[in-house]
Structure formats: C-alpha cells, structure tokens
Amino acid sequence: MLDNLHDGHNTEFLYYDQHAEWDVDEAPVGLEAAAILLRSTAFFTRSSRGFCASDDNGFQRVCGAVSRLNTQEKTMRFTGKTALVTGGNSGIGFTTAKLLIAEGARVAITGRDRTKLDQAVADLGANSLGIQADLDDETAVESAFKQIKEVFGSLDIVFANAGISGPTPLGGTTAAAFEAILRTNLTGVFLTVQAALPLMGVGGSVILNGSVMRELGSPGSAAYSATKAGVTGMAKVFASELVQRGIRVNTVIPGGTRTPIWTRGARAGATLDATEEALAPAIPMARLATPEEVAKAVLFLASDDASGITAAEIVVDGGTIGAPRGAPMYRKA
C-alpha cells in the first residue's frame, strides 16, 4: 500500500511496504533515513522513542511517534500445515479449503464426482490435492489416505464435512435409502477420522460438520437428523479418546446455508434465493448463513487460536436454535 511518511521537517514522502501502513509524525534522523527506507522493506519495533522502522538487515533507520499503525499483513495461520476436507468440491467444504489455502495450508479434498472434483482443484490451485473417493467404502478410505501420506506425509487438520441428505418419511422409506444416509453421514465420518489418526500428531485438530437439524424435529428428515445428532455425540467420544494424544476434536453446527445442497436431489429445480425467502421468517437473522461464515468457524477451531478448546461446538445458524423466538415470524407488526 502507499502511505504518507513525514520527517521532522514535515516533508511528505510516499512509502510502500507490504506489511503495514503508518504515519511518522517525528523522525529525528530526518530526510536521508526516510529516503533510504523508500528503497527497502521496513520492519517495525516499539521503543522508548515510539515505533522504529528498520531495514532488511535490522539496521535502525527511522524512529518517531506513530500516529497511525494499521497492520495489513495477511494472516497466515496455517503456513506449513496440511489439511483434509472431505466433500471439498463444493459448498462449505470447498470454501473451507479455499480459506485454508489462502492462509498457507496445503489441502486435500475428496469428492465422488470426478468432473466437479477436477474443477474444484483447478479453482483452488497448486496447493490442493483432489482425491476421488466414496467414503462409505472402507477400501476407498484406505486408498485416499495412502495418497495423502504419499503427497503430504502427515496431516494437521481434518474437516469431516462430507454428507448427504434426502427425505426419509415414516411409511415411505426403504431400508436402503435410510441406511445410505447413515453410512455416509455417520459411518463415513467415523472411518475418515479413524484412518486419519496414523498421520496426525500432537497439535492436530479434527472438526466434524454437524447440523441444527439434529434438534429441529423436521418432518421427513429422520435419517439426516439422526446422523447429525450422532455426529455431535461421536465428537465428544473422539475428544475424550484423543485428548491424551494432543489432538483436539470439535464440531461446527451450521444452520441453513447458501450451498448447492438446497438445489439438488429431492430439491432439484429449486433456487437458493427462493429457498432463503421461504426459510428466512424462521431465522432470527432473517437469512441463510454464507459458506464463508461457516468456514471461518472451522478455521478458528482448526487454528492455534483454539488451542484450549476441545469437545466444543460453534453454532452458525443465525440464532435458529439459540433464540428461535427472535425470528421474524414471531415479531409483532
């Protein structure tokens, strides 16, 4: 960025630095040092004379009172880290992978659809690895982690995000339809975390993707709701089992979120806007969450910022389960 640098004579300089933008009201060493700074990257330290700017070699060039210091350095919490995001070719998974990569991680994503997976990898760039896998299949899970080990060597973060939904009303559901949802959303999560453990060590973080559907009692959603309730219970067991290995396990609980899940399968032909309009009256914040809002909660739980947190949940639902009576449908006109 460009900003104004003033020396003791109140002379204005344009100064470029990729790390911070700053105004120096008083620079005792004067114009010459300020000019030198224009040709090098400056680093800032606090001293008795205010903030001091130094060049690449650490030689102090300018010290003075700083009236404004707005750090612009990009947060890179995951530099050198490796992550797995299952179901990472769309929606919350894709957005989470994108944000992890933006903060320095290398990320493996899984998906069943090769075309969508390839497109996601192309969009995510060189620090992504696409693995086509059906996580219902134990053999496929083993193969996926073999690829991850060969490319990454180890894993620091696992976001078990892959899941499916579908109507399972009483009186109209086959055992196969019901069990398919259980196998992907519950058994698949268990198999994923189990297979990841040999690649994880102290400081590792596992995040499971739950849902507010676990407690809404939504008609026709018995299988999906049961699996998300199961994920919540399983996460606490995982946390208890893995705490002595230094691995944290937490859950993110999304409410309705603007993802393709609302426009496919039994909902094919629906649009996100129409879905949001229909659901908004029951959501206190009167809108669906964005994938970025959920993904940022995942990144927090994956990061060292959450180093003291395990067996916890972050609910990203606009108040749906925490303050339901605040929804527009209950407000007085």
Side-chain angles (χ1 to χ4, degrees):
M1 71 220 66
L2 288 173
D3 201 2
N4 296 330
L5 172 65
H6 302 270
D7 80 339
H9 300 284
N10 201 35
T11 301
E12 183 176 289
F13 290 84
L14 285 178
Y15 176 74
Y16 173 76
D17 175 59
Q18 63 178 331
H19 301 291
E21 57 177 288
W22 53 304
D23 288 334
V24 179
D25 298 321
E26 181 183 357
V29 293
L31 298 175
E32 181 179 355
I36 291 172
L37 276 171
L38 289 172
R39 298 192 296 270
S40 66
T41 301
F43 299 90
F44 300 94
T45 57
R46 189 186 297 273
S47 76
S48 60
R49 289 181 288 169
F51 277 89
C52 294
S54 305
D55 67 7
D56 290 327
N57 297 317
F59 184 79
Q60 194 174 91
R61 301 296 194 184
V62 172
C63 290
V66 177
S67 63
R68 182 165 63 94
L69 178 65
N70 178 24
T71 301
Q72 297 292 316
E73 185 173 7
K74 189 175 184 180
T75 302
M76 298 292 279
R77 291 175 291 179
F78 304 105
T79 299
K81 302 284 189 179
T82 55
L84 167 66
V85 178
T86 64
N89 58 353
S90 68
I92 293 169
F94 176 81
T95 302
T96 300
K98 183 178 179 179
L99 295 185
L100 284 166
I101 290 170
E103 290 199 32
R106 291 184 295 157
V107 180
I109 63 171
T110 68
R112 293 177 175 177
D113 187 311
R114 170 53 68 183
T115 300
K116 291 181 180 178
L117 185 65
D118 289 345
Q119 183 59 57
V121 169
D123 292 340
L124 292 171
N127 285 325
S128 65
L129 169 67
I131 301 173
Q132 185 178 20
D134 183 346
L135 300 180
D136 297 358
D137 182 347
E138 192 169 6
T139 301
V141 172
E142 292 174 358
S143 176
F145 280 94
K146 181 179 179 181
Q147 292 180 62
I148 292 169
K149 183 177 182 179
E150 289 172 352
V151 178
F152 289 169
S154 61
L155 274 175
D156 300 292
I157 299 158
V158 172
F159 179 32
N161 164 73
I164 61 174
S165 65
T168 52
L170 282 171
T173 303
T174 65
F178 193 91
E179 290 170 359
I181 295 173
L182 265 63
R183 183 149 186 89
T184 296
N185 295 5
L186 202 57
T187 305
V189 170
F190 180 87
L191 294 175
T192 295
V193 175
Q194 179 170 262
L197 292 181
L199 302 184
M200 301 186 76
V202 174
S205 177
V206 174
I207 304 98
L208 308 187
N209 196 2
S211 171
V212 297
M213 291 291 287
R214 68 185 181 181
E215 60 193 88
L216 293 183
S218 181
S221 70
Y224 184 79
S225 298
T227 61
K228 292 307 181 178
V231 163
T232 298
M234 197 160 60
K236 297 181 185 300
V237 175
F238 289 172
S240 181
E241 291 186 8
L242 298 179
V243 66
Q244 292 186 19
R245 295 179 58 166
I247 298 173
R248 299 180 297 105
V249 183
N250 294 289
T251 313
V252 63
I253 310 293
T257 307
R258 290 185 65 92
T259 70
I261 198 170
W262 296 104
T263 60
R264 64 191 183 202
R267 303 185 185 101
T271 67
L272 282 174
D273 289 342
T275 299
E276 184 167 47
E277 184 178 355
L279 296 178
I283 303 171
M285 292 183 71
R287 65 174 178 84
L288 298 176
T290 67
E292 288 77 14
E293 288 171 325
V294 180
K296 286 175 182 178
V298 176
L299 263 66
F300 168 70
L301 292 172
S303 75
D304 290 340
D305 295 337
S307 59
I309 299 175
T310 195
E313 299 175 349
I314 295 181
V315 180
V316 188
D317 72 343
T320 300
I321 61 174
R325 299 293 289 189
M329 62 189 293
Y330 296 114
R331 298 174 193 166
K332 293 181 180 180

